[in-house]
Amino acid sequence: MAESASVPRARDVSLPTATPDPYTPAPVRRRPYWQTLLTVVVLVAAACLAGRHWSVLATGAHRLAVADPGWLLAGAAAVAVTWPCSALAQQGAVPRMLPRRRLVAAQFAASAANHVLPAGLGAGLVNLRFLMRCGLTAARSATALAVKATAGGAVRGALTAVLVLACPGVLRLPHVPAGCLAAALGVAGLAALLARRLRPPWRRTLATLLADVRAIHARPIRAAALWGGSLAFAVLHAGVLIAVTQAVGLTLPPAGVALVYLAASGAAALLPTPGGIGSLDAALAFGLTAAGAPGAAAASAVLGYRLLTVWLPLVPGLLVLVVLIRRKAL
């Protein structure tokens, strides 16, 4: 009996599947807990100060209720123009053309989001998403935001220097204890050490930023939009505070009020509170009283400035933000 030739059957060979290593920790997404903690501390401190000086705040609110409506309308008009100026500066920081209406709407929505999230995070996220929806990469969008922020900081610094020379004696720095100075120097030293460890990424980011700045300034129209929009934005916000001080009857010179605003906004930027709530209020009140305003009048001016720049546009800005998200513009 002949043996039948056995044909070897092909074996089913499957590639080994990668199994997760139980000893490898899963990546943990870091959250800025220190920003949240500092925000809570500042807000609690602001609430304590408000409770301590509640009579002054109540008098200031009553004084604001009987303020000159014409000056308040002028301040509201200045606030309305700040969003097109912000859009102009953002357009100047981007080499390509952006849709104008959506750009202005994005700035309006970003200002509302900035009053909800700390340290300008809301405005940055809204503008970042808008630029990416317009076709820019994430890196180019972040660079455009950095260019706009750098131009805004440079404009504010130049305006502050000019007004300090024009209005000597308006700014009176408080006495800072030696322990606070030592702590600030220690934090600065620690930041310098961390910057040295992160030098290669920072070099690449700085190189990209400088390349975009050169590309923007190679086109005079873009450079004019960037610097002109940044200058108009800062001047208009100072004009809002000037209008409110005139409405409540403060007899401070407009240049001095503008200097107080620039110095207070620069100091409040160091504390990551939503929209500078608490930090900017305290800095403005301190600056106005140091410039010679009574406590109740300074409180009414700060309340009026906050009413025009934060509370009245907040709900419409959030509604515009929701519309932009639903239309996938963000």
Side-chain angles (χ1 to χ4, degrees):
M1 183 176 181
E3 295 182 357
S4 61
S6 61
V7 180
R9 291 181 298 177
R11 292 180 298 174
D12 185 13
V13 180
S14 59
L15 296 177
T17 58
T19 57
D21 188 2
Y23 299 100
T24 302
V28 179
R29 188 177 181 180
R30 296 182 179 180
R31 297 180 180 178
Y33 290 110
W34 65 272
Q35 289 188 358
T36 305
L37 178 61
L38 189 55
T39 300
V40 172
V41 170
V42 173
L43 292 179
V44 170
C48 293
L49 287 175
R52 185 176 180 181
H53 302 282
W54 182 253
S55 59
V56 176
L57 292 176
T59 306
H62 175 72
R63 188 168 181 171
L64 180 63
V66 296
D68 186 353
W71 280 109
L72 292 179
L73 287 176
V79 172
V81 184
T82 57
W83 300 308
C85 292
S86 178
L88 182 64
Q90 189 63 76
Q91 175 63 83
V94 179
R96 67 169 63 184
M97 284 296 297
L98 301 174
R100 297 179 181 179
R101 294 182 180 179
R102 287 169 52 194
L103 178 58
V104 176
Q107 303 311 306
F108 185 43
S111 65
N114 197 41
H115 300 310
V116 178
L117 298 178
L121 186 61
L125 289 177
V126 170
N127 282 308
L128 183 66
R129 291 294 304 169
F130 171 75
L131 294 176
M132 292 175 65
R133 286 289 187 181
C134 292
L136 275 71
T137 63
R140 290 297 178 185
S141 301
T143 303
L145 296 181
V147 170
K148 180 186 176 184
T150 303
V155 165
R156 288 172 178 268
L159 286 175
T160 303
V162 170
L163 291 176
V164 164
L165 296 177
C167 305
V170 173
L171 291 183
R172 300 175 185 177
L173 298 178
H175 175 70
V176 180
C180 294
L181 290 177
L185 291 176
V187 172
L190 180 60
L193 291 176
L194 292 176
R196 291 188 62 182
R197 295 187 60 183
L198 301 175
R199 185 177 298 175
W202 279 108
R203 282 183 176 179
R204 290 192 295 268
T205 304
L206 183 60
T208 305
L209 178 63
L210 292 177
D212 285 357
V213 168
R214 286 192 295 267
I216 289 168
H217 286 81
R219 305 175 65 180
I221 296 179
R222 288 287 187 269
L226 173 63
W227 293 101
S230 300
L231 176 62
F233 183 83
V235 170
L236 284 170
H237 266 281
V240 175
L241 184 60
I242 292 172
V244 174
T245 56
Q246 294 294 324
V248 298
L250 277 178
T251 58
L252 297 177
V257 176
L259 178 56
V260 168
Y261 163 74
L262 291 171
S265 60
L270 302 176
L271 296 176
T273 57
I277 296 176
S279 57
L280 181 58
D281 300 322
L284 285 175
F286 174 80
L288 291 175
T289 53
S300 62
V302 174
L303 290 175
Y305 175 79
R306 281 307 199 178
L307 177 67
L308 295 179
T309 58
V310 178
W311 304 118
L312 289 181
L314 182 59
V315 174
L318 293 177
L319 292 177
V320 171
L321 178 62
V322 172
V323 171
L324 290 175
I325 293 175
R326 289 178 63 89
R327 294 184 178 181
K328 297 183 179 180
L330 295 179

